[in-house]
Amino acid sequence: MRARQRLAISLILGLAGLPMATMARDKAAPPPAATRAQALVGFQRDLVSVLAPRADAMPLLGAALLARPLPNQPSSTNFHALITRAARADDASPAAQWARLTDCDAAARTCPNADALAALTAEAGDNAAVWLLKLGQDSANERSDDAREDLRRAAGAKLYDDYTGTALQALATTVGTLPPPPAAIDPGSAAGAWGVQVVMVFGVSGLLPAPQPGMQATARLCENGKDDPAIRQSCLQLAHLLEWGSSPLARSLGLHLRETLSDDPEAQAAARAEMTNLAWEVRNFAALSARAAGDKALAQHLLALARNGGTEMSLMLAALRDEGIPLDAPGASEAAAISPAAAAASTVTP
């Protein structure tokens, strides 16, 4: 399961390390590349400065996310100041509190931000992601009874949303506030300014430290408690919710729980097929994201999808459909219908 989770995350953020990785390479790169990297950082700082005076939540969220990876930001325009204002804005949504979870000091063991978590349990108690986040915290602190209650609350929630879609929307709607300086545009890219924007939106979102919704702790609790009828029922109920969740990571856990806990061989085979399809979708979206940096039409389209909002999953599926890429992996159903034991046996040489 852990390997599958890491695969989904690394693939979906295939473009995530692009800006900072570029900057790291450019320390020893030819002057034009180093100049472009510096111009990108300067452009990011300028965007934060222009957005910081706004009073509404979405621009402030975008400014906070843009400021998060920047070193040596002034105290008035750093992540802490901006995400605090975003969370207090009159039109604030739980997405700002979710981002505020990372406004903490991991070394001092103050993560996730306790005030933000308390606000989320009060304001977004129908979101399973909130309770899985708390489950991970309670499991780490060996509060097993609280973790079981978190599981029950998560299973009874209405949705799973880690607000990545809202973060992408905030970035996509703010990154066009200023035109990128010519020095930030790769002269070899046909995407021009749009390429800079798409790299900044999908790159910044991937570089940000994200709250961890306790996926591994949830998997352990469900697997270790599968003989407990109450835990088993909660985990199967949660699995269905996660399969329709906002992120590939949530969907992968939901499918894993269905395959692991279901007594129905057909349901297990279907879960394996859908897991294969999910890996296919994530790989293809990662390829699209990487290509968008040099493809103007694709960059414009991905930015438009991000500006429309939705979830990470809905954006990914819409992008694949619009590019004519099938959502089913070749041969997924046939391969997944073979049980793991039968597949292993078939590889043994007589």
Side-chain angles (χ1 to χ4, degrees), residues 221-233 261:
L221 178 57
C222 288
E223 290 166 1
N224 294 338
K226 62 183 179 181
D227 295 328
D228 182 314
I231 291 181
R232 186 186 182 89
Q233 178 59 36
L261 301 178

Side-chain angles (χ1 to χ4, degrees), residues 257-322:
L257 293 177
R258 193 205 321 171
E259 181 186 359
T260 304
L261 301 178
S262 176
D263 294 324
D264 182 356
E266 291 187 2
Q268 294 173 342
R272 289 193 295 273
E274 291 175 34
M275 185 70 83
T276 301
N277 289 335
L278 178 63
W280 163 268
E281 292 159 1
V282 169
R283 280 197 301 270
N284 278 279
F285 182 73
L288 279 184
S289 300
R291 181 159 60 88
D295 184 324
K296 180 179 178 180
L298 182 56
Q300 290 174 323
H301 187 56
L302 290 185
L303 289 167
L305 289 174
R307 284 194 297 269
N308 285 338
T311 67
E312 186 181 10
M313 276 299 302
S314 67
L315 186 155
M316 179 177 75
L317 296 179
L320 295 176
R321 289 192 190 98
D322 293 344

Side-chain angles (χ1 to χ4, degrees), residues 68-339:
R68 185 70 170 89
L70 293 174
N72 304 317
Q73 272 293 100
S75 60
S76 61
T77 57
N78 63 15
F79 176 72
H80 170 73
L82 293 169
I83 199 60
T84 300
R85 289 176 54 209
R88 292 175 179 173
D90 292 340
D91 60 339
S93 73
Q97 293 290 2
W98 186 268
R100 189 171 165 243
L101 289 167
T102 63
D103 185 23
C104 54
D105 184 351
R109 300 177 64 84
T110 62
C111 294
N113 183 300
D115 290 340
L117 182 56
L120 283 166
T121 56
E123 299 170 14
D126 58 351
N127 184 355
V130 174
W131 297 107
L132 294 190
L133 183 74
K134 190 170 181 299
L135 187 155
Q137 189 179 41
D138 287 334
S139 295
N141 293 325
E142 299 183 350
R143 295 195 292 260
S144 57
D145 289 343
D146 289 342
R148 289 184 59 157
E149 175 61 15
D150 298 332
L151 175 65
R152 187 190 69 80
R153 295 290 296 267
K158 295 180 180 179
L159 77 162
Y160 176 97
D161 190 356
D162 64 6
Y163 304 107
T164 299
T166 305
L168 288 170
Q169 184 181 26
L171 288 166
T173 55
T174 55
V175 76
T177 303
L178 294 174
I185 300 174
D186 183 355
S189 170
W194 295 97
V196 173
Q197 291 185 22
V198 80
V199 165
M200 192 160 287
V201 169
F202 289 91
V204 166
S205 66
L207 286 168
L208 298 173
Q212 298 300 314
M215 296 293 187
Q216 293 182 6
T218 301
R220 285 195 301 269
L221 178 57
C222 288
E223 290 166 1
N224 294 338
K226 62 183 179 181
D227 295 328
D228 182 314
I231 291 181
R232 186 186 182 89
Q233 178 59 36
S234 290
C235 290
L236 285 171
Q237 187 177 349
L238 176 63
H240 179 73
L241 185 70
L242 292 175
E243 286 184 43
W244 296 97
S246 67
S247 71
L249 181 58
R251 180 162 168 74
S252 70
L253 177 57
L255 292 170
H256 170 76
L257 293 177
R258 193 205 321 171
E259 181 186 359
T260 304
L261 301 178
S262 176
D263 294 324
D264 182 356
E266 291 187 2
Q268 294 173 342
R272 289 193 295 273
E274 291 175 34
M275 185 70 83
T276 301
N277 289 335
L278 178 63
W280 163 268
E281 292 159 1
V282 169
R283 280 197 301 270
N284 278 279
F285 182 73
L288 279 184
S289 300
R291 181 159 60 88
D295 184 324
K296 180 179 178 180
L298 182 56
Q300 290 174 323
H301 187 56
L302 290 185
L303 289 167
L305 289 174
R307 284 194 297 269
N308 285 338
T311 67
E312 186 181 10
M313 276 299 302
S314 67
L315 186 155
M316 179 177 75
L317 296 179
L320 295 176
R321 289 192 190 98
D322 293 344
E323 287 295 306
I325 298 173
L327 302 185
D328 293 340
S333 298
E334 294 80 0
I338 302 174
S339 70

